[in-house]
């Protein structure tokens, strides 16, 4: 009988424990001042939250870093489909269009006070979080901008200039960049860039007047010559043998960065943190030059409030409190996330900011300059899937598995299958 | 083979050749090496994993990495979650499958054979393919992000019923049952006081396997659990890996910490698991 | 109530009392089997039927549900990604099942010696892979098979072979996943075979040895035939398990987890289902994939039934 009593006690206790422990501890919803916040990893929202709590000590912010940006978006989807929803969620720009399309799942932030502060933000950025009906579902927290990070020591060894102005002159266009890469690889026998898909194609395609959709929302990825041109640049880089074939954010990419396997990476402002954390031993050996094509953006996130959030007001207060121009400027100083509020672009804190890891490059100025040349284009609901197939096609050629001549057609065909259009 | 007409003398058992031990040694090495490698990286850091020729000795960095694991994700909590889920499923399966197995083995009731056939048929259906509606049902019950969403569905084990029925058929003979009935025992008493004690070892082994399977389950917890405090240890490992700036040492540390509890338990009950597999082997 | 622990005695000592054939007694069997049927019904059967239902819709989990009839299936049969996933799943299955069975057979034969020392230790250590978590296994194997820094490629380079990109190539990734699956299940399968082998009386082997049959011949003519039913069993369970491989491909490619790489080189059917359902927000299409999986399982179960009856008849 001992087994029986022991077993029943165990089971009962555990069931009680599990019932009590379900769903995690919710913030005190009574006072309406606490809220649940989902963010993704690598963007250091914790610093923002800590800052906010200094000025609002009575607010309990329960921050959860769910996973990568894609995983956070998926978690948000499953939550909206029937689970516990957070009060505030950070959505990455690539994942945003699907949610904008189903804007009924979110609060229209204009009703909560956004119409007063809308004007503070870059118009093409705000446009992305606005639904067709005019609903505003997200306030932008940052943009990526774009520049080319390069290793000064490796450039010196290859006989290339190391001063950032001189380096920027080396590659005003992508063709010039690929040519420089050829010279480098011929001289040193090592790869010039980490990969062709993200560092070349992905950046080039963002520099046109139109991307995968026309202003009316019709997919034009297959016919847009600018997309085709960017794709060809990617193919050329892959075929020139100047890439290390390391896909971004893989362990091989990390290791390669540490060991100087490649000399350049197309880096938005947030990636500088990745480089800093992944390759601390390379401190001081990097610098930042202008990206070929001179303008660009990768990334950018938005704060949104799901429709049935229990603590919507507290969540909105957080947004208003942290995403003001001053708030974004402060966040830039601590985490390098580029503000989306043009009024602070000339502020001394931003222009005077120098990053010692990257040879004291004035990252604030460099990255905000890269935003200036950007022309707003429509990002549609399937832009992310379309971009991914193009990336895959180029990676395929780069890995020696795809035929360059068929790569474009294969990509278009895959896109048609994936999105049905 | 020719048959012997005279009774052959009992020969001593064959001596085991050395290459048998070599082959078995290789098998053991192959079985254990990946775990050893995990241990090496978990006690040094990522740079070790990237060294060529590979380093094969453990280092002393374990505590630092372990500490990092516990701060990056609520790992201790996830260990507790896994423990709760796995124990509930293990014990639950042991008891419930014994109950149902007893009913199918020894009780007479209408449709018994048809119902049992149904149970056997469900063994072939991988319910994994219905995860989408399973998720919809769980969310309509309000069980998303809870542990009961993992426990309750895991209690239904067709294989467990099959297994317990086998054991009960052989362990419990009908005379014993009849005698008990004559003495006025009701069905529950027969089960709890006669049948279950007889198959306790088998039920225990079933519970063990249920425990291990529940501990290592990935897909369903991945879909159902959302907040990091609710993660089971498998999802916690994945969370370590999907950090944008991956640290392999961290991921391996987490993996190692997730495996150690099972290894410890295995040291104690491994023999039972081995005999469990061998007893329940498919007999023609 | 007479003591139930001594029924024999009580037969003779106490007068016979009929059991109350009450309502409780009559429903007892149904109550005992009810938990399984209720739980399986709610979490197994209903979702299965519901999958068929959802597959007829364009079902956005956070948007609308539009009835589209058999459109999802039409799309599925036109979808090269689906056939790619089928091919990947089948290839991984073959690569993991065949070596696994062969190795298990050989090792079981090795273990089947009466005077084997450390037998228990051998058996236990072979079961260790089975208890290791799948996520942990994938992380370790992915690193061991890494293109630039993995131990396996380093060993290959020692004998002059160029590094193989296991994760990015189609066959390489299949090999890698198959290696993981084999590693995990080989010990378990070995023990199953060992049990069956031990059911063969020693005299049979001895008689063969006296007749001059060597170890290999004993293996071929005694061990293997007696293992036929359990081999069929393991093939079938390996198939059904193989159709469900999800975690390994998911964790192999952190940069493209849901498609298992840029060309979906190792995307298995279950991963494809998850990607379409939870990644692309297409519950309907994902459910259609689920239906396709179900059909495959039924076909395989049918083949198994035919095979095992044939084996039984042969005995």
């Amino acid at each position: 009988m001992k087994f029986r009593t022991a077993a029943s006690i165990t089971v009962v206790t555990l069931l009680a424990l599990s019932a009590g422990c379900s769903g995690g501890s919710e913030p005190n919803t009574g006072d309406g001042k606490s809220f649940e916040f989902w963010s993704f990893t690598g963007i250091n929202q914790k610093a923002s939250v800590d800052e906010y709590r200094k000025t609002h000590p009575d607010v309990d912010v329960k921050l959860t870093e769910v996973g990568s940006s894609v995983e956070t978006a998926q978690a948000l989807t499953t939550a909206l489909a029937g689970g516990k929803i957070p009060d505030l969620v950070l959505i990455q720009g690539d994942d945003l269009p699907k949610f904008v399309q189903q804007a009924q799942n979110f609060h229209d932030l204009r009703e909560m006070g956004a119409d007063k502060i809308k004007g503070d933000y870059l118009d093409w950025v705000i446009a992305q979080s606005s639904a067709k009906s005019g609903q505003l579902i997200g306030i932008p927290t940052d943009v990526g901008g774009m520049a080319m990070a390069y290793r000064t020591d490796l450039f010196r060894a290859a006989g290339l200039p190391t001063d950032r102005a001189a380096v920027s002159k080396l590659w005003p266009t992508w063709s010039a960049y690929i040519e420089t890469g050829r010279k480098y690889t011929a001289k040193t026998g090592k790869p010039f860039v980490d990969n062709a898909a993200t560092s070349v194609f992905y950046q080039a395609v963002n520099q046109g007047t139109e991307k995968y959709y026309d202003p009316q929302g019709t997919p034009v990825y297959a016919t847009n010559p600018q997309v085709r041109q960017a794709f060809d640049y990617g193919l050329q880089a892959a075929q020139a043998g100047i890439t290390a074939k390391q896909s971004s954010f893989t362990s091989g990419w990390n290791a390669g960065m540490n060991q100087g396997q490649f000399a350049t990476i197309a880096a938005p402002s947030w990636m500088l943190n990745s480089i800093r954390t992944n390759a601390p031993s390379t401190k001081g050996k990097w610098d930042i030059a202008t990206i070929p094509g001179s303008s660009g953006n990768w990334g950018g996130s938005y704060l949104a409030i799901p429709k049935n959030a229990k603590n919507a007001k507290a969540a909105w207060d957080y947004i208003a409190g942290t995403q003001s121009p001053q708030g974004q400027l402060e966040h830039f100083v601590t985490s390098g996330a580029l503000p989306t509020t043009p009024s602070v672009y000339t502020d001394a804190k931003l222009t005077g900011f120098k990053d010692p890891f990257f040879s004291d490059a004035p990252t604030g100025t460099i990255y905000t300059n890269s935003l200036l040349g950007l022309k707003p284009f429509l990002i549609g609901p399937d832009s992310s899937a379309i971009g991914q197939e193009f990336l895959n096609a180029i990676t395929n050629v780069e890995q020696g598995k795809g035929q360059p001549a068929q790569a474009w057609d294969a990509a278009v065909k895959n896109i048609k299958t994936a999105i049905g259009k | 083979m020719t048959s012997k007409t005279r009774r052959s003398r009992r020969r001593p058992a064959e001596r085991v050749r050395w290459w048998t031990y070599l082959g078995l040694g290789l098998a053991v090495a192959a079985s254990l090496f990946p775990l050893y490698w995990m241990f090496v990286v978990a006690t040094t850091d990522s740079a070790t994993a990237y060294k060529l020729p590979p380093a094969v000795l453990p280092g002393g960095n374990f505590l630092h990495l372990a500490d990092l694991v516990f701060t990056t994700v609520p790992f201790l909590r996830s260990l507790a979650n896994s423990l709760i889920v796995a124990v509930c499923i293990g014990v639950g399966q042991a008891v419930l499958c014994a109950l149902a197995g007893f009913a199918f083995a020894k009780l007479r009731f209408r449709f018994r054979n048809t119902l049992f056939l149904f149970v056997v048929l469900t063994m072939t259906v991988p319910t994994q393919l219905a995860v989408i509606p399973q998720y919809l049902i769980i969310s309509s019950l309000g069980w998303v992000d809870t542990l009961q969403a993992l426990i309750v569905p895991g209690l239904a084990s067709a294989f467990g019923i099959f297994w317990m029925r086998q054991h009960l058929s052989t362990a419990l003979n009908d005379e014993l049952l009849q005698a008990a009935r004559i003495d006025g025992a009701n069905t529950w008493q027969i089960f709890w006081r006669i049948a279950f004690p007889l198959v306790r070892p088998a039920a225990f082994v079933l519970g063990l396997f249920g425990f291990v399977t529940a501990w290592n389950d990935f897909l369903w917890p991945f879909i159902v659990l959302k907040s990091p405090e609710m993660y089971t240890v498998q999802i916690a490992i994945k969370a370590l890996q999907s950090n944008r700036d991956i640290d392999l040492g961290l991921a391996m540390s987490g993996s190692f910490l997730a495996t150690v509890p099972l290894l410890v338990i295995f040291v104690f009950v491994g023999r039972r698991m081995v005999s469990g597999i061998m007893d329940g082997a498919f007999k023609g | 109530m007479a003591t139930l622990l001594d029924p024999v005695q009580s037969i003779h000592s106490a007068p016979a009392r009929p059991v109350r054939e009450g309502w409780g007694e009559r429903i007892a069997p149904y109550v005992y089997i009810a938990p399984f049927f209720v739980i399986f019904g709610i979490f197994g059967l209903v979702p299965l039927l519901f999958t068929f239902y959802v597959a007829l819709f364009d079902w956005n989990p956070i948007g609308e549900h539009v009835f589209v009839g058999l459109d999802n299936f039409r799309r599925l049969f036109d979808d090269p990604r689906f056939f790619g996933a089928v091919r990947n799943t089948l290839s991984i299955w073959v690569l993991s099942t065949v070596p696994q069975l062969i190795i298990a057979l050989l090792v079981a034969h090795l273990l089947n010696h009466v005077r084997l020392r450390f037998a228990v230790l051998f058996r236990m250590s072979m079961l260790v892979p089975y208890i290791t978590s799948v996520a942990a296994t994938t992380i370790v194997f992915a690193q061991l098979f890494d293109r630039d820094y993995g131990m396996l490629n380093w060993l290959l380079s020692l004998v002059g072979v160029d590094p193989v990109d296991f994760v990015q190539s189609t066959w390489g990734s299949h090999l890698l996943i198959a290696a993981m699956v084999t590693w995990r299940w080989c010990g378990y399968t070995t023990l199953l075979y060992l049990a069956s082998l031990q059911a063969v009386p020693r005299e049979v082997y001895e008689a063969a040895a006296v007749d001059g049959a060597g170890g290999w011949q004993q293996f071929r003519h005694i061990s293997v035939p007696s293992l036929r039913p359990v081999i069929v069993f393991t093939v079938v369970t390996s198939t059904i398990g193989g159709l469900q491989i999800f975690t390994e491909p998911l964790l192999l490619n952190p940069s493209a987890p849901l498609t298992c790489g840029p060309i979906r080189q190792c995307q298995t059917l279950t991963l494809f289902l998850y990607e379409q359902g939870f990644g692309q927000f297409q519950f309907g299409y994902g459910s259609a994939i689920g239906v396709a999986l179900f059909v495959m399982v039924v076909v395989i179960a049918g083949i198994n039934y035919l095979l095992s009856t044939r084996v039984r008849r042969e005995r």
Side-chain angles (χ1 to χ4, degrees), chain A residues 3-4 11 14 18 21-24 41 62 64 66 71 75 78 82 84 249-251 254 270 274 277-278, chain B residues 50 77 84 87-88 91 135 139 144-146 148 192 196 200 226 228-231 238 242-246:
Chain A
F3 168 73
R4 168 216 221 165
V11 173
L14 288 170
S18 72
C21 293
S22 62
T41 52
K62 193 165 156 286
T64 304
V66 179
E71 284 165 357
T78 44
K84 256 181 0 137
F249 309 114
T250 57
S251 51
N254 274 349
W270 47 261
S274 302
T277 346
N278 290 340
Chain B
Y50 296 128
R77 183 71 192 263
I84 293 175
V87 170
C88 285
V91 172
Y135 178 78
S139 69
V144 172
D145 214 22
T146 63
Q148 59 258 35
W192 194 242
F196 192 64
R200 248 212 297 258
K226 290 305 149 195
E229 310 83 57
M230 298 312 293
Y231 283 172
K238 170 159 199 325
S242 62
N243 252 308
R244 192 171 236 174
D245 308 318
I246 351 160

Side-chain angles (χ1 to χ4, degrees), chain A residues 236-319:
Chain A
Q236 283 168 34
Q239 290 178 276
I242 59 173
T243 83
K245 309 183 192 180
Q246 300 285 15
S247 297
S248 317
F249 309 114
T250 57
S251 51
W253 184 72
N254 274 349
M257 207 187 285
N258 262 300
Q259 298 175 357
Q261 199 189 22
F262 39 85
T264 62
I265 308 179
S269 57
W270 47 261
M271 203 192 271
L272 301 185
N273 271 335
S274 302
I275 301 179
R276 213 192 310 268
T277 346
N278 290 340
S281 57
T282 58
K283 176 174 174 144
K285 298 192 190 154
W286 296 87
D287 204 337
I288 318 244
T290 325
I291 190 89
S294 74
S295 67
N297 180 45
W298 180 6
S301 316
Y302 298 77
L303 284 171
I305 303 180
K307 194 61 174 270
N308 296 320
K310 286 200 203 83
N311 304 300
K313 178 84 181 41
W316 171 254
D317 288 338
Y318 177 84
I319 297 182

Side-chain angles (χ1 to χ4, degrees), chain A residues 37-47 63-73 75 89-92 95 142 249 270-271 273-274 277 301 331 335, chain B residues 71-74 226 228 231 235-247 250, chain C residues 254:
Chain A
F37 179 13
W38 284 7
S39 166
F40 39 89
T41 52
I43 203 161
N44 200 10
Q45 275 298 320
K46 189 158 189 312
L63 172 66
T64 304
E65 287 192 340
V66 179
S68 69
S69 56
V70 171
E71 284 165 357
T72 310
V89 60
L90 187 67
I91 306 178
Q92 227 242 1
D95 308 307
D142 64 308
F249 309 114
W270 47 261
M271 203 192 271
N273 271 335
S274 302
T277 346
S301 316
H331 194 62
S335 70
Chain B
T71 46
T72 312
V73 291
K226 290 305 149 195
Y231 283 172
I235 315 298
I237 300 179
K238 170 159 199 325
L240 283 174
Q241 195 222 30
S242 62
N243 252 308
R244 192 171 236 174
D245 308 318
I246 351 160
D247 182 346
L250 196 64

